[in-house]
């Protein structure tokens, strides 16, 4: 098997481009999401993105705030207790970004259809409502007949809607732990990261921990993403910060509120990026920016026990460094 470890910089340079259809694995707006991958896309100035999110997160909030997103398809776009996603809201209300709204149930079905390579999925949710009748892609057409068109069941004769399936160019999926080949275990809510990994043409895993493959062999039933569908693995502890990674760290509530507030205006977004996105060049600098006190605080999570079965297989930073050198990266 191939060692797929890549640096965050090389993963974004190799597997992203302007105008791509991009999705990111997010477990609720406050949970696991490949936030650092989105930050690196901002650093590399990706633009004209078509972003598909099961749940919105600070990643889409940031990408929209800097003007990198032309279009969004989403099941839920808020930030829960942290308020409306100010960057996304500004991008949409200004006309820079159009947002096509579905339910979380619809997004789950669409990812499943993409994973199974179906041309469409029968719609059992989101029909007979403005989710079906209103379309950002066809704003002058109401009721819209092209977003969730109707078909007739050949067995019963009944009419149903149909969803277009989701087949992204690239998925950046946050996982709790992965081996160097791309086998991964996710703790906490999954939110279709399994289907997303099968539906996407290219898959990059962003992992908080790298473990020995023996860990995957010990718990094969928990390996929801397998090496055969993965193109690259990025090792980046605290990759979901300021959001949470169950078993490892809680969300940084102070920074979640602050970050969202800073996305509200273009000037504040630029100031935020100067300090929190563009100022680091290595993981050591990234961690220093978060700060030892904050890292200690969010790492005192009540979910830490979830990692207990896997601790003996976690590779050290020194081991991972050697593996990265061996891979020529």
């Amino acid at each position: 098997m191939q060692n797929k470890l890549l640096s965050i910089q090389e993963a974004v340079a190799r597997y992203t481009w302007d105008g791509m259809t991009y999705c990111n694995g997010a477990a609720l707006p406050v949970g696991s999401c490949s936030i650092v991958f989105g930050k690196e896309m901002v650093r590399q100035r990706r633009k004209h993105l078509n972003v598909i999110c099961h749940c919105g997160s600070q990643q889409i909030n940031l990408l929209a705030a800097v003007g990198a997103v032309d279009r969004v398809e989403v099941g839920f776009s808020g930030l829960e207790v942290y308020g409306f996603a100010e960057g996304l809201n500004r991008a949409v209300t200004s006309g820079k970004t159009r947002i096509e709204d579905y339910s979380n149930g619809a997004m789950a079905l669409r990812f499943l259809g993409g994973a199974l390579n179906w041309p469409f999925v029968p719609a059992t949710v989101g029909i007979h409502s403005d989710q079906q009748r209103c379309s950002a892609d066809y704003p002058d057409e109401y009721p819209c007949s092209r977003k969730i068109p109707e078909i007739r069941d050949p067995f019963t004769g009944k009419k149903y809607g149909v969803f277009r399936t989701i087949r992204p160019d690239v998925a950046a999926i946050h996982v709790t732990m992965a081996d160097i080949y791309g086998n991964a275990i996710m703790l906490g809510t999954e939110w279709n990261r399994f289907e997303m990994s099968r539906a996407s043409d290219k898959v990059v895993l962003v992992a908080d921990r790298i473990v020995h493959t023996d860990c995957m062999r010990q718990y094969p039933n928990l390996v929801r993403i397998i090496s055969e569908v993965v193109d690259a693995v990025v090792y980046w502890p605290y990759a979901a910060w300021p959001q949470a990674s169950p078993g490892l760290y809680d969300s940084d509530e102070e920074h979640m509120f602050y970050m969202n507030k800073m996305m509200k205006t273009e000037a504040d977004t630029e100031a935020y990026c100067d300090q929190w996105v563009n100022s680091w060049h290595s993981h050591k600098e990234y961690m220093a920016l978060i700060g030892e006190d904050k890292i200690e605080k969010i790492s005192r999570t009540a979910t830490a026990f979830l990692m207990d079965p896997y601790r003996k297989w976690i590779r050290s930073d020194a081991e991972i460094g050697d593996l990265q050198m061996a891979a020529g990266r």
Side-chain angles (χ1 to χ4, degrees), residues 18-59:
D18 294 347
M20 69 174 180
T21 295
Y22 168 69
C23 70
N24 54 274
L28 301 174
V30 296
S32 299
C33 180
S34 53
I35 302 289
V36 74
F37 195 88
K39 289 178 179 177
E40 184 60 29
M41 285 202 291
V42 172
R43 288 156 56 90
Q44 296 192 25
R45 301 185 181 277
R46 293 293 180 261
K47 57 187 178 181
H48 302 306
L49 303 175
N50 178 38
V51 180
I52 301 177
C53 302
H54 202 316
C55 286
S57 70
Q58 289 284 27
Q59 180 172 179

Side-chain angles (χ1 to χ4, degrees), residues 208-221:
D208 278 313
R209 296 289 184 270
I210 300 297
V211 296
H212 196 282
T213 302
D214 284 351
C215 179
M216 305 300 169
R217 297 188 180 113
Q218 181 70 28
Y219 300 103
N221 58 310

Side-chain angles (χ1 to χ4, degrees), residues 88-293:
L88 179 59
N89 182 59
R90 174 164 58 85
V92 172
T93 55
S94 69
K96 165 66 180 175
T97 301
R98 66 184 188 274
I99 184 168
E100 194 68 282
D101 182 40
Y102 291 87
S103 69
N104 286 123
M107 297 299 284
L109 290 169
R110 297 178 68 215
F111 276 119
L112 174 63
L116 293 170
N117 201 27
W118 289 348
F120 58 83
V121 178
T124 55
V125 296
I127 53 178
H128 311 305
S129 72
D130 272 352
Q131 284 196 342
Q132 181 180 29
R133 300 180 186 114
C134 295
S135 172
D137 291 329
Y138 311 106
D140 298 326
E141 184 179 316
Y142 184 90
C144 182
S145 61
R146 290 184 278 181
K147 179 181 177 182
I148 308 176
E150 291 186 342
I151 61 168
R152 192 174 297 276
D153 182 342
F155 299 103
T156 67
K158 293 177 64 176
K159 283 187 177 180
Y160 291 91
V162 290
F163 294 125
R164 187 190 303 272
T165 58
I166 298 174
R167 297 300 305 270
D169 294 317
V170 179
I173 303 175
H174 179 268
V175 296
T176 313
M177 62 197 94
D179 67 13
I180 64 174
Y181 308 116
N183 300 296
I185 292 174
M186 297 169 281
L187 301 183
T189 52
E190 190 173 294
W191 281 91
N192 290 107
R193 284 179 280 176
F194 170 87
E195 291 85 357
M196 191 181 297
S197 71
R198 272 69 172 178
S200 302
D201 184 47
K202 300 294 181 182
V203 175
V204 178
L205 300 184
V206 183
D208 278 313
R209 296 289 184 270
I210 300 297
V211 296
H212 196 282
T213 302
D214 284 351
C215 179
M216 305 300 169
R217 297 188 180 113
Q218 181 70 28
Y219 300 103
N221 58 310
L222 302 181
V223 182
R224 298 284 285 158
I225 300 178
I226 57 175
S227 60
E228 285 80 358
V229 301
V230 172
D231 296 275
V233 178
V234 173
Y235 170 57
W236 200 274
Y238 297 88
W241 178 83
Q243 297 185 190
S245 181
L248 294 173
Y249 48 93
D250 294 328
S251 59
D252 180 347
E253 295 202 346
E254 181 183 14
H255 197 90
M256 286 288 287
F257 280 114
Y258 169 73
M259 180 178 179
N260 194 35
K261 181 186 74 172
M262 294 296 283
M263 298 298 103
K264 193 168 186 176
T265 70
E266 185 175 344
D268 282 347
T269 298
E270 184 176 350
Y272 180 89
C273 289
D274 285 345
Q275 181 175 0
W276 298 98
V277 178
N278 298 317
S279 62
W280 49 267
H281 301 281
S282 66
H283 187 261
K284 183 178 180 180
E285 292 174 343
Y286 172 87
M287 296 290 280
L289 192 64
I290 300 173
E292 290 184 7
D293 291 344

Side-chain angles (χ1 to χ4, degrees), residues 58-74:
Q58 289 284 27
Q59 180 172 179
I60 179 58
N61 200 21
L62 174 64
L63 289 168
V66 301
V69 180
D70 287 355
R71 183 177 180 278
V72 176
E73 292 182 44
V74 68

